[in-house]
Amino acid sequence: QVQLVESGGDLVQVGGSLTLSCAASGFSVHEYAMGWFRQAPGKEREEVSCIRNDAEITHYSDSVKGRFIISRESAKNMVYLQMNSLRPEDTAVYYCAAVGSEICIPNMDYWGEGTLVTVSS
């Protein structure tokens, strides 16, 4: 059974850092494109970052480029999102997702339940 479980969401001050973790089971994270998405209150879900299944090639949305880092630890079947220089607009529920293709797409195959990140000013 495929499962994705996020953790690490918290309340943090502007300029702070957080690292989100995603524990995967039922499949191997290195065989899937793994992504982090977020949904802020009243907004649509958006892709934040993606790491491709075929290589350590990563993608970032313009809003987080240079501040967030996605990584994958295949031995532990984990994916991480290191978030630095956090801003109030980063406040959202963050979701880990997986898709059996090279790159992330809006309709990923599997989703976690999400973890809340709140950035206070």
Side-chain angles (χ1 to χ4, degrees):
Q1 182 180 356
V2 172
Q3 192 173 22
L4 295 169
V5 179
E6 305 95 335
S7 61
D10 205 347
L11 173 64
V12 63
Q13 290 191 335
V14 169
S17 298
L18 275 178
T19 297
L20 304 182
S21 300
C22 173
S25 58
F27 71 102
S28 298
V29 295
H30 68 274
E31 295 179 350
Y32 281 68
M34 299 297 300
W36 285 96
F37 293 72
R38 69 185 181 187
Q39 187 166 18
K43 295 188 177 181
E44 292 188 356
R45 187 170 59 198
E46 62 172 343
E47 180 183 325
V48 173
S49 183
C50 180
I51 184 165
R52 290 176 53 154
N53 70 333
D54 57 345
E56 297 301 308
I57 297 175
T58 57
H59 301 273
Y60 298 92
S61 67
D62 288 342
S63 60
V64 307
K65 198 171 296 181
R67 300 188 296 124
F68 289 12
I69 301 171
I70 189 171
S71 61
R72 177 169 52 201
E73 190 172 5
S74 297
K76 294 185 177 181
N77 221 29
M78 298 283 292
V79 178
Y80 306 97
L81 185 68
Q82 181 181 337
M83 306 186 295
N84 303 311
S85 302
L86 283 162
R87 305 167 180 169
E89 54 265 36
D90 294 319
T91 295
V93 177
Y94 284 72
Y95 299 91
C96 176
V99 66
S101 63
E102 279 191 5
I103 60 173
C104 295
I105 57 175
N107 293 324
M108 301 284 275
D109 291 337
Y110 306 112
W111 294 89
E113 294 294 316
T115 186
L116 177 62
V117 174
T118 304
V119 183
S120 68
S121 55

